[in-house]
Structure formats: structure tokens, C-alpha cells
């Protein structure tokens, strides 16, 4: 790594009406470094990078690429200057093949005809060179999320990018895919590329980044070297206060059974069993964490509990009522809230306003509607209060849900579901895409709900999170409960053994 700057952003300001997203931010990125951009949800990180990639133009300030002032008024102009961006929410066409997605806008033709064979060969060479394993002929709809991300990276490399921006690249990846991605980044640096990494995850920054620029509420706070800076110091710079990485809680006081699952069998989309005779109980006043490698039936289990997927056999009882074949609304009316793993597909309608999204489960009730007519005054007033309570940051409650940052979308979904005061809270990946301050707040809220006597079932790939908030940990493997453990008496290693299908001598069994 040299001290030569490939990117210099000087006094960058971006306004959306009266809302100031970036306020005189300065950023310098050196050749051959991984430079992390750290900040809370809605701090302005993605907005800043959207200007560097040509999607937005600054209201004020200057951008220099390789020492020369530039006017980036389109993504194609940024591409020509060697800047590529891997977006948090992939910009791929599901119906197209990997090759078709990568060459889109840069098509190879032979005599005026698309030469897919040559393009496919070039992509294969490129993928092998950078260790980005993909099948050039596979349809994007048929490949994993991790493979889709590799396609996005190949898109930028295919266009000749030397400076690659990764926007929250690990938000939807499994732990093994995250490890692969970090290794890919290291390989890219060895090839002479420069990387800007937007992330909330301090352990990832410490694993791969050389320097980090911290942004807080639209302003650049400082740029520091990773070496010699602790995670605690970075967290405090990011949120402006001391942050606890462990949630304080008193011992649980479980009471009556709220959720009772017996011999449950659920099929996945291809008709293959994903949940295989599973038994589990969750009581009022406890948090049961579900740990497991992605794809072991967790998604299908949660979908069956919330009515989004039909059970093949077995039973699901909530508060004494058999809901096995109930529709989703009937289940929510019974006092069940659900935070889905995919906030875009199942949690929000991105084209609707934030306020409309916050009443998606209650819009048909008073005071939000009467005689079938919506009362937007009440809806907007309620939403302003909820956004303030849960620190959902956006220009206002009437902007579209899609205009919020990913982390603020997540906070909005969690706020909506907790505020319904449910008896059973079903949550998948509660803190996915959240910064450390928001993670701290959400975990405290979940424990507060437990202390009010609510029953919670939480699925998370973050083992630290499972160990931190759970009162009991149910480990899933191959569609079954491999074991149930007390978080005080176990660790990541033991959880990993069960997640891989192994057994522990002190295992308590399938309860």
C-alpha cells in the first residue's frame, strides 16, 4: 500500500430538500488499501458512495480521482474512471444468466450478433483469476445469495474497475460466505485494486481494513488506522457514546407455554422435507434462540409458525389454539408478531411511505381507519412517534420505505411488530444490517419484551447474538432440533458441533 490517493472527496455536501444527508464530508482513499467507511444507520455512508459511483451528484464539494478533479454525473462515467460499486441490494435480473447479467450494457457482439460464448469464456477466466466461483451459464434466480454477490463483483471487474465500493456486503451472507468474501477482498488488494468497505461490523473491519473513516449524522468524525484502535473506540466514535457489547439481563422467569410445536413436518419449495418431525415449546417470559447453519429448516419453521407456509403434518399450537392451518392474518390477530428475515420481500412495501409501512398490520383498525377510509392524520402522527422512539432515521414519515437505509428499514419493521404488543414475537435475523448502537438498543428491547411476560423465538446466524439474548438455545440441523442448551453453560464451539450434526456428552436432548 502506498500513501498515494486514488480517491479524494473534499467538503462533500448532499441535500435532499431541507434534509442534509452529507455535511462537508472529507474522504481520502489510498492505492492498494481496504478503507472502511463506518457509521450508524442513516449516517450518510451509502449517499456518499452513490456520489462516488455516479448515481447521485453532490450539492457542494469536489471529487478527485487519481489526483484529477472529476464530474461523476453517471455510473458509466464512474466505470470509465475505474470505479465500480457492489450494492447492498443486488442489481441483477433474475431471469437472465450470470453471463447476461455481467455483460449487460457492455455486450460483446460478432457481426452485430450477441456473442455469449466468448463472453462466457472471458467471465470464466476472470472468475478463476480472482477466486470468484460462479457458473456463467446458470440463471441468477437459481444461484445462492453468496453466488449472486460474486456475480456483482465480477460485473465491476468485467468493466475494468480498479476502485471497488462494497456497500454492506455481508448483510445477507452466512458466516462461511462472509469468510470467503473477506478472502476475495484480500486477493483483490494483492491484484492492485483499492476497496472502500461500508459496514457496521467491527470484527470484519478489524479483519481486513487498513484504515477507517467514521461518519456520524452526515459528518466525517475522523480517519484512523485500524492497527492500534480498539473496537470499543471505533464504536464510541460511531455513535458518540459508550456502547456495551453484552446485554445486561436478569434470569428469565418462564411461565405458561405460548407456542407448542409437535412432530412438525414442513416441505420447502421443491416439495422436499425441510422440517422433519420437530418438537419445541416456547414459554411466556423467555427467549428461545434458534442457532443453525443456513438452510437447515429455520426459514420453513418460521414460515409455518406464522402461516406463510403450510405444514405437511404435525401441529402448531399458540395460546392453546391449533393454528396449523390458519392464514397469516388470523395468526397475527391471535397476538403474534413476525419480523421476517427478508425485510424487502416480506417486511415492507418499499414503494409505500414509511407511515403506511408502520401500519401494515393495523391500518384496518381504529384510529387509523373508519368505515374503510384511512385517517392519514392519525397514521402519520403515530408513525412520527414510533420513528422517534426507535430512532428510525429518514427525512420524514411520508418518504418511501425504499428511501430509508437498510438498517433503518430493519428498525422500522421491528418497531411495527413490537409496538403491536404481541404475546408471541417471532423474529428472524433481528439485527441484520444494524450498527452497534442500534444492535444494543434492539437487544435491550427484546429482553424488555421478555421481562413483560412475552414469548420470543429468535433465529439468528450471529452466534454472539444467540448467546447474548437467549434463555435457551435450540440448535437446528437437517430440519430437527439437534439439542437444547443453556447459554451460560455452552459456547460457540459446542454450538458449532451441534450445528454440524454432532453430539455433545452433556446434551439435554430434543425438548
Amino acid at each position: 500500500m502506498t500513501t498515494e490517493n486514488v480517491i479524494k472527496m473534499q467538503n462533500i455536501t448532499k441535500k435532499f430538500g431541507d434534509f442534509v444527508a452529507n455535511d462537508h464530508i472529507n474522504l481520502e482513499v489510498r492505492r492498494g488499501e481496504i478503507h472502511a467507511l463506518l457509521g450508524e444507520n442513516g449516517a450518510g455512508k451509502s449517499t456518499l458512495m452513490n456520489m462516488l459511483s455516479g448515481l447521485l451528484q453532490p450539492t457542494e464539494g469536489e471529487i478527485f480521482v487519481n489526483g484529477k478533479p472529476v464530474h461523476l454525473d453517471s455510473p458509466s462515467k464512474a466505470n470509465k474512471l475505474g470505479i465500480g460499486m457492489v450494492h447492498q441490494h443486488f442489481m441483477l435480473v433474475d431471469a437472465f444468466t450470470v453471463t447476461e447479467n455481467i455483460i449487460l450494457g457492455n455486450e460483446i457482439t460478432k457481426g452485430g450478433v450477441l456473442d455469449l460464448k466468448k463472453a462466457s469464456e472471458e467471465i470464466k477466466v476472470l472468475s478463476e483469476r480472482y477466486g470468484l466461483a460462479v457458473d456463467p451459464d446458470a440463471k441468477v434466480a437459481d444461484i445462492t445469495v453468496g453466488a449472486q454477490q460474486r456475480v456483482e463483483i465480477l460485473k465491476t471487474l468485467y468493466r475494468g474497475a480498479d476502485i471497488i465500493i462494497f456497500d454492506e456486503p455481508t448483510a445477507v451472507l452466512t458466516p462461511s460466505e462472509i469468510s470467503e468474501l473477506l478472502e476475495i477482498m484480500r486477493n483483490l488488494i494483492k491484484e492492485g485494486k483499492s476497496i472502500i468497505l461500508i459496514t457496521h461490523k467491527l470484527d470484519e473491519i478489524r479483519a481486513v481494513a487498513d484504515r477507517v473513516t467514521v461518519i456520524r449524522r452526515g459528518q466525517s468524525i475522523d480517519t484512523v488506522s485500524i492497527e492500534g484502535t480498539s473496537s470499543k473506540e471505533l464504536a464510541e466514535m460511531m455513535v458518540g457514546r459508550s456502547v456495551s457489547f453484552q446485554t445486561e439481563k436478569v434470569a428469565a422467569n418462564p411461565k405458561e407455554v405460548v407456542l407448542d410445536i409437535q412432530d412438525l413436518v414442513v416441505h420447502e419449495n421443491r416439495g422436499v422435507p425441510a422440517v422433519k418431525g420437530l418438537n419445541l415449546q416456547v414459554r411466556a417470559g423467555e427467549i428461545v434462540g434458534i442457532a443453525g447453519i443456513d438452510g437447515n429448516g429455520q426459514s420453513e419453521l418460521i414460515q409455518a409458525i406464522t402461516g406463510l407456509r403450510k405444514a405437511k403434518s404435525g401441529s402448531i399450537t399458540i395460546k392453546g389454539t391449533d393454528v396449523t392451518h390458519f392464514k397469516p392474518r388470523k395468526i397475527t390477530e391471535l397476538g403474534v408478531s413476525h419480523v421476517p428475515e427478508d425485510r424487502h420481500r416480506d417486511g415492507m412495501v418499499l414503494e409505500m411511505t414509511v407511515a403506511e409501512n408502520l401500519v401494515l398490520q393495523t391500518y384496518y383498525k381504529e384510529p387509523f381507519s373508519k368505515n374503510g377510509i384511512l385517517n392519514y392524520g392519525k397514521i402519520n402522527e403515530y408513525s412520527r412517534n414510533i420513528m422517534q422512539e426507535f430512532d428510525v432515521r429518514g427525512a420524514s414519515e411520508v418518504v418511501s420505505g425504499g428511501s430509508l437505509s437498510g438498517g433503518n428499514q430493519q428498525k422500522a419493521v421491528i418497531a411495527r411488530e413490537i409496538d403491536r404488543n404481541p404475546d408471541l414475537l417471532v423474529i428472524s435475523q433481528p439485527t441484520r444490517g444494524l450498527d452497534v448502537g442500534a444492535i444494543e438498543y434492539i437487544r435491550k428491547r427484546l429482553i424488555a419484551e421478555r421481562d413483560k411476560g412475552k414469548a420470543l423465538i429468535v433465529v439468528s446466524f450471529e452466534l454472539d447474538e444467540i448467546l447474548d439474548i437467549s434463555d435457551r438455545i435450540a440448535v437446528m440441523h437437517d430440519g430437527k432440533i439437534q439439542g437444547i442448551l443453556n447459554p451460560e453453560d455452552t459456547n460457540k464451539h459446542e454450538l458449532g458441533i451441534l450445528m454440524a450434526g454432532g453430539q455433545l456428552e452433556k446434551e439435554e436432548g430434543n425438548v
Side-chain angles (χ1 to χ4, degrees):
M1 186 183 73
T2 69
T3 56
E4 176 192 352
N5 287 332
V6 289
I7 295 293
K8 184 177 181 181
M9 302 183 80
Q10 191 169 301
N11 293 320
I12 299 294
T13 297
K14 180 63 181 177
K15 295 180 180 178
F16 297 96
D18 294 332
F19 179 68
V20 182
N22 292 155
D23 186 3
H24 295 89
I25 288 182
N26 295 299
L27 174 68
E28 294 181 359
V29 180
R30 296 170 183 166
R31 188 178 305 282
E33 79 167 337
I34 299 180
H35 193 113
L37 204 55
L38 180 65
E40 293 178 280
N41 301 120
K45 307 179 299 295
S46 295
T47 301
L48 186 68
M49 290 300 99
N50 282 335
M51 286 185 276
L52 185 57
S53 63
L55 284 167
L56 296 172
Q57 284 73 55
T59 309
E60 297 174 32
E62 288 184 285
I63 300 174
F64 299 83
V65 178
N66 294 316
K68 296 177 182 176
V70 295
H71 178 60
L72 301 173
D73 55 5
S74 70
S76 60
K77 197 160 184 181
N79 288 337
K80 285 174 185 172
L81 289 166
I83 300 168
M85 187 166 179
V86 179
H87 294 271
Q88 180 180 1
H89 303 293
F90 307 145
M91 297 190 175
L92 299 172
V93 182
D94 284 352
F96 283 11
T97 66
V98 166
T99 296
E100 289 165 343
N101 268 282
I102 289 171
I103 68 173
L104 196 60
N106 285 65
E107 293 86 352
I108 294 177
T109 56
K110 188 177 182 181
V113 179
L114 197 61
D115 193 346
L116 282 174
K117 187 178 178 185
K118 185 181 179 185
S120 179
E121 288 168 357
E122 287 185 6
I123 288 161
K124 197 171 181 184
V125 169
L126 202 61
S127 70
E128 288 172 357
R129 176 181 171 186
Y130 290 101
L132 294 159
V134 293
D135 177 0
D137 303 317
K139 274 195 175 179
V140 162
D142 298 331
I143 62 177
T144 66
V145 172
Q148 288 178 25
Q149 188 169 66
R150 293 195 288 275
V151 174
E152 284 282 17
I153 297 168
L154 280 168
K155 263 171 65 178
T156 67
L157 295 171
Y158 185 79
R159 287 160 171 73
D162 290 314
I163 301 153
I164 305 174
I165 304 160
F166 287 88
D167 188 1
E168 299 288 351
T170 64
V172 293
L173 301 186
T174 64
S176 61
E177 287 171 334
I178 290 169
S179 298
E180 287 173 19
L181 176 64
L182 298 183
E183 190 56 38
I184 287 165
M185 287 185 185
R186 293 184 188 103
N187 291 337
L188 289 169
I189 292 300
K190 287 176 189 172
E191 291 276 344
K193 309 294 183 186
S194 303
I195 290 174
I196 302 173
L197 170 62
I198 304 173
T199 183
H200 300 116
K201 298 185 178 178
L202 298 175
D203 53 345
E204 289 170 13
I205 288 176
R206 301 194 66 78
V208 293
D210 300 295
R211 294 189 303 150
V212 57
T213 293
V214 180
I215 295 176
R216 187 164 76 231
R217 294 191 178 269
Q219 297 180 323
S220 44
I221 301 302
D222 200 0
T223 297
V224 296
S225 173
I226 290 299
E227 198 173 335
T229 308
S230 70
S231 295
K232 189 172 184 294
E233 288 169 330
L234 289 173
E236 287 180 10
M237 287 169 64
M238 179 167 66
V239 300
R241 60 176 174 81
S242 179
V243 176
S244 171
F245 291 96
Q246 191 156 11
T247 313
E248 289 185 17
K249 60 179 181 180
V250 297
N253 183 24
K255 295 179 180 173
E256 73 279 4
V257 173
V258 174
L259 173 66
D260 188 6
I261 301 170
Q262 296 294 326
D263 302 321
L264 185 67
V265 175
V266 186
H267 287 186
E268 43 104 285
N269 293 340
R270 296 170 299 173
V272 178
V275 178
K276 305 172 181 178
L278 182 141
N279 298 296
L280 183 68
Q281 289 186 338
V282 183
R283 295 175 179 274
E286 75 166 344
I287 298 175
V288 173
I290 304 284
I293 299 166
D294 190 21
N296 276 268
Q298 303 97 311
S299 297
E300 290 80 5
L301 171 64
I302 296 304
Q303 288 164 4
I305 293 169
T306 54
L308 294 170
R309 186 179 292 268
K310 287 184 179 178
K312 202 71 182 171
S313 62
S315 66
I316 303 167
T317 304
I318 297 174
K319 298 196 303 182
T321 301
D322 187 336
V323 301
T324 313
H325 302 294
F326 278 22
K327 290 186 176 177
R329 178 175 282 188
K330 205 169 179 184
I331 292 173
T332 61
E333 292 282 10
L334 200 61
V336 179
S337 279
H338 176 211
V339 176
E341 61 183 296
D342 188 332
R343 56 181 170 252
H344 278 188
R345 186 187 65 201
D346 303 317
M348 298 187 80
V349 182
L350 299 180
E351 296 78 16
M352 291 169 64
T353 67
V354 176
E356 287 167 336
N357 273 287
L358 287 172
V359 296
L360 273 179
Q361 302 275 39
T362 49
Y363 69 90
Y364 55 93
K365 297 179 179 179
E366 291 189 9
F368 304 134
S369 67
K370 192 170 184 178
N371 300 323
I373 298 173
L374 294 173
N375 184 336
Y376 273 99
K378 294 289 186 185
I379 290 171
N380 293 341
E381 180 187 1
Y382 164 80
S383 300
R384 283 193 296 272
N385 293 335
I386 287 294
M387 288 175 74
Q388 185 175 3
E389 181 184 349
F390 284 82
D391 195 25
V392 179
R393 296 182 192 176
S396 77
E397 75 283 358
V398 295
V399 299
S400 70
S403 70
L404 297 182
S405 70
N408 279 296
Q409 290 172 3
Q410 182 75 358
K411 284 195 279 186
V413 174
I414 289 172
R416 179 184 70 214
E417 299 304 319
I418 286 180
D419 195 65
R420 289 182 54 239
N421 194 28
D423 296 307
L424 173 64
L425 190 50
V426 181
I427 308 180
S428 290
Q429 316 306 333
T431 58
R432 176 178 278 171
L434 296 186
D435 60 69
V436 289
I439 288 170
E440 179 189 45
Y441 176 76
I442 293 301
R443 289 182 183 174
K444 281 181 178 176
R445 281 302 298 249
L446 296 183
I447 289 167
E449 293 304 302
R450 178 204 75 169
D451 293 343
K452 290 178 191 171
K454 314 296 186 187
L456 291 89
I457 181 167
V458 178
V459 176
S460 178
F461 296 138
E462 304 282 349
L463 293 185
D464 285 329
E465 180 160 81
I466 288 289
L467 287 162
D468 184 41
I469 65 171
S470 303
D471 299 304
R472 290 189 297 142
I473 301 172
V475 182
M476 281 190 73
H477 171 73
D478 193 28
K480 298 175 183 175
I481 301 294
Q482 190 73 4
I484 294 185
L485 303 174
N486 185 328
E488 282 80 24
D489 301 329
T490 190
N491 52 46
K492 288 185 187 178
H493 175 70
E494 290 186 346
L495 291 177
I497 291 171
L498 292 177
M499 286 163 65
Q503 298 287 339
L504 299 177
E505 287 182 17
K506 65 174 187 177
E507 181 193 339
E508 294 177 22
N510 186 352
V511 178

